[in-house]
Amino acid sequence: MITYSFTDIGSDSLYMHLYKCIKNDILNGILHAGEKLPSKRSLAKNLNISVITVENAYAQLIAEGYLYSIPKKGFFVSDIKSLHKKEEPVLSMENVQLSSGKSEYFADFTSNQTNSEHFPFSIWAKLTRELLTHNQSELMTNPPCGGILPLREAIAKHLKDFRNMEVTPEQIIIGAGTEYLYGLLIQLLGFDKHYAIEDPGYSKISQIYESHCISCHFVSMDAFGVNISDLEKQNIDIVHISPSHHFPTGIVMPISRRYELLAWAAKSDTRYIIEDDYDSEYRLSGQPIPTLQSIDIQEKVIYMNTFTKTLASTVRISYMVLPKHLVNTFYSKLYFYSCTVSNFEQYILSRFISEGYFEKHINRMRNYYHGKRDLILHAIENSPLAAYASISEENSGLHFLMKLKTDLSDKEFLLRMEQSSIKLSSLSQYYQLPPESVEHVFIINYSFVAEENIEKAIQIIYRALF
């Protein structure tokens, strides 16, 4: 007769303690497969507990597959050899990130995080309270797969007012981050198509495409943007570009190349352009560059944007604008997807945009980043680094390029920076095969660097040159 002690069971109930004892004996091989257990009454009498306690423990073990019962014969131990022998996977801590979100660097020129003091918490809280009080029914109603109508209407009006784009709310699809939307586009446009990204380009996009097991190519660029002849040569169907502010080079595609690109897309029904307009709101000099979508009369451009740059990197709300002829196809093929952004966030953001708070926030942040950019440039100009550095593409968005005179390789210089608690990235890191001309060119993303650390960071960069 099996027996167990019930003197120290902690916060467990009696039946849960018994369940754990029997389960451990099965896992440790003390109770063997096929072995018959005592009846409920005899085990209850032996352990001086109630029959219902044993019954509940047995029921849980049967539900989980550790025991099985045969009518009029009793309870038996299941054969769980495969479970018993299963080895626990070893987690690689270099892949499992449990970060607090705080930067470990004195100055991180690669991060796009938003400092908490710049997020409009008071307005966000006000809108949240109002919605929780007056819009409870809407908040608890499941949204359509493309997102709630008020947010799509607000985005459509914003695009009309600030990007001169004539789009309907039905063309707008809301999603939790552009990565999710890329996955939807692949399903919409086809796994058999040839997709392409710019070289140099944002590596995460190619990783997303590769994770979907599709054909992903890299298209070369010249001083005006993506190379049209390379698109033709590689037989590309869909190309992902950022014409208003290319990352990482900062190139702004001129109107002549834009029309060339639209002409390329118009040659085939399977060709489309994905226009990533990720930080166009923060052009610091002159008017925002018109979107490619706004001059597209053939419906070949799929426009994408996100609020992670304008509000915060933790606000995972993005959207895409489909050409009208793709809208019905999208809903007929992908209608079963649920919108991945909660109603709460969608209604708050729709109010934030439609009531003018978003425009005020953008203007305030543009002024702030303009001042911060000038602070960094001034610190460089008034330091010994000025004799060894040349700056370019400083007006397009929240990063610029800095070319340095040094005998060190990019790898050696970045290692020195790392050792000095400065995080930088080089332009060469974003190429498949970097040309010599991009050696010693570094990307200065200044959005997350503390202003009080700028001068010292410039001094550290200067000292690392030699």
Side-chain angles (χ1 to χ4, degrees):
M1 178 69 71
I2 58 176
T3 185
Y4 303 108
S5 171
F6 284 77
T7 56
D8 185 17
I9 65 173
S11 60
D12 284 344
S13 61
L14 291 175
Y15 99 85
M16 184 56 67
H17 177 70
L18 178 59
Y19 150 81
K20 289 180 179 179
C21 290
I22 298 173
K23 175 183 172 181
N24 287 335
D25 280 355
I26 294 172
L27 291 173
N28 292 323
I30 297 171
L31 294 173
H32 304 286
E35 184 174 342
K36 184 178 181 182
L37 267 63
S39 68
K40 291 180 285 186
R41 290 187 179 279
S42 60
L43 184 57
K45 183 177 181 181
N46 182 59
L47 298 177
N48 195 29
I49 56 178
S50 69
V51 174
I52 193 67
T53 298
V54 179
E55 185 175 301
N56 288 339
Y58 277 9
Q60 185 65 31
L61 290 163
I62 290 171
E64 295 183 18
Y66 292 100
L67 299 182
Y68 64 93
S69 64
I70 300 177
K72 298 183 180 180
K73 290 190 176 182
F75 300 91
F76 300 86
V77 177
S78 300
D79 184 359
I80 57 167
K81 288 180 182 178
S82 59
L83 177 63
H84 182 62
K85 292 181 180 180
K86 183 179 179 181
E87 294 183 3
E88 287 291 324
V90 178
L91 298 178
S92 171
M93 294 314 295
E94 63 184 57
N95 293 325
V96 181
Q97 298 181 6
L98 301 175
S99 169
S100 65
K102 295 181 179 179
S103 176
E104 59 190 33
Y105 296 93
F106 176 75
D108 186 349
F109 289 100
T110 68
S111 175
N112 64 352
Q113 288 189 68
T114 305
N115 287 312
S116 59
E117 62 264 28
H118 299 302
F119 186 81
F121 282 109
S122 60
I123 296 170
W124 208 260
K126 168 183 171 290
L127 295 175
T128 301
R129 287 193 299 270
E130 291 175 358
L131 284 164
L132 290 174
T133 303
H134 303 295
N135 299 80
Q136 295 173 356
S137 176
E138 293 94 328
L139 292 175
M140 300 306 292
T141 302
N142 290 334
C145 69
I148 65 166
L149 184 58
L151 178 55
R152 294 152 84 181
E153 289 175 334
I155 291 173
K157 186 177 186 304
H158 169 74
L159 291 176
K160 169 60 178 173
D161 293 342
F162 295 95
R163 304 300 279 135
N164 196 32
M165 293 170 56
E166 296 280 357
V167 303
T168 65
E170 291 76 18
Q171 291 174 257
I172 297 171
I173 308 297
I174 308 296
T178 52
E179 294 96 332
Y180 167 73
L181 295 177
Y182 291 140
L184 291 183
L185 279 180
I186 292 167
Q187 295 173 69
L188 176 64
L189 301 177
F191 288 84
D192 59 334
K193 303 297 187 297
H194 294 273
Y195 293 76
I197 64 172
E198 299 154 311
D199 183 22
Y202 189 39
S203 60
K204 182 181 280 191
I205 300 168
S206 64
Q207 291 170 335
I208 293 167
Y209 286 148
E210 288 165 6
S211 71
H212 285 81
C213 300
I214 63 172
S215 176
C216 182
H217 304 256
F218 296 88
V219 180
S220 63
M221 297 181 64
D222 58 25
F224 304 112
V226 66
N227 195 315
I228 307 297
S229 61
D230 205 6
L231 288 173
E232 295 282 9
K233 181 180 178 181
Q234 297 192 59
N235 196 28
I236 300 304
D237 296 299
I238 296 106
V239 61
H240 178 285
I241 62 170
S242 47
S244 295
H245 181 218
H246 176 257
F247 184 87
T249 66
I251 291 173
V252 176
M253 184 181 289
I255 191 67
S256 58
R257 181 59 56 86
R258 293 178 185 231
Y259 278 116
E260 285 183 65
L261 193 56
L262 289 171
W264 165 83
K267 290 179 181 179
S268 172
D269 290 341
T270 63
R271 290 180 178 178
Y272 288 97
I273 302 163
I274 300 173
E275 178 182 16
D276 190 341
D277 204 29
Y278 74 101
D279 76 343
S280 61
E281 294 88 353
Y282 289 138
R283 180 170 173 79
L284 302 181
S285 178
Q287 294 297 312
I289 304 298
T291 66
L292 191 64
Q293 195 274 351
S294 66
I295 61 171
D296 172 30
I297 61 173
Q298 304 273 356
E299 294 196 357
K300 286 297 184 178
V301 177
I302 298 167
Y303 177 89
M304 300 190 78
N305 208 332
T306 179
F307 294 95
T308 60
K309 274 283 190 180
T310 49
L311 285 175
S313 57
T314 52
V315 177
R316 305 300 300 170
I317 306 178
S318 301
Y319 63 93
M320 61 182 175
V321 180
L322 296 175
K324 289 181 179 178
H325 71 274
L326 282 180
V327 173
N328 287 337
T329 307
F330 175 86
Y331 283 107
S332 64
K333 288 182 66 173
L334 304 174
Y335 67 91
F336 54 88
Y337 277 105
S338 298
C339 183
T340 50
V341 181
S342 75
N343 264 17
F344 288 74
E345 291 177 290
Q346 290 192 66
Y347 276 105
I348 294 169
L349 182 56
S350 67
R351 290 272 304 274
F352 189 78
I353 298 171
S354 61
E355 295 179 21
Y357 297 116
F358 185 55
E359 180 184 356
K360 292 177 182 177
H361 174 75
I362 291 297
N363 291 335
R364 180 169 61 88
M365 293 306 297
R366 189 185 292 117
N367 290 332
Y368 167 74
Y369 285 128
H370 196 293
K372 192 172 187 179
R373 189 276 314 267
D374 290 349
L375 185 65
I376 295 177
L377 295 179
H378 185 266
I380 294 172
E381 291 169 3
N382 290 275
S383 75
L385 183 62
Y388 299 87
S390 58
I391 306 299
S392 62
E393 304 299 341
E394 67 271 28
N395 293 319
S396 301
L398 300 185
H399 78 271
F400 59 82
L401 301 181
M402 180 170 66
K403 187 174 180 63
L404 297 174
K405 298 176 185 177
T406 179
D407 293 329
L408 299 173
S409 69
D410 285 0
K411 186 176 181 180
E412 291 171 326
F413 185 76
L414 292 176
L415 180 59
R416 285 194 182 186
M417 289 288 89
E418 189 89 14
Q419 292 169 344
S420 300
S421 195
I422 303 289
K423 191 172 184 183
L424 277 177
S425 60
S426 65
L427 186 56
S428 59
Q429 289 176 308
Y430 292 88
Y431 280 86
Q432 293 301 297
L433 293 172
E436 289 186 12
S437 60
V438 303
E439 184 78 359
H440 307 146
V441 179
F442 299 92
I443 301 161
I444 306 298
N445 183 339
Y446 50 85
S447 61
F448 191 57
V449 179
E451 294 176 51
E452 61 270 20
N453 295 346
I454 288 174
E455 283 196 19
K456 185 176 179 180
I458 298 303
Q459 294 172 9
I460 295 171
I461 292 173
Y462 168 71
R463 289 198 296 267
L465 291 174
F466 313 102

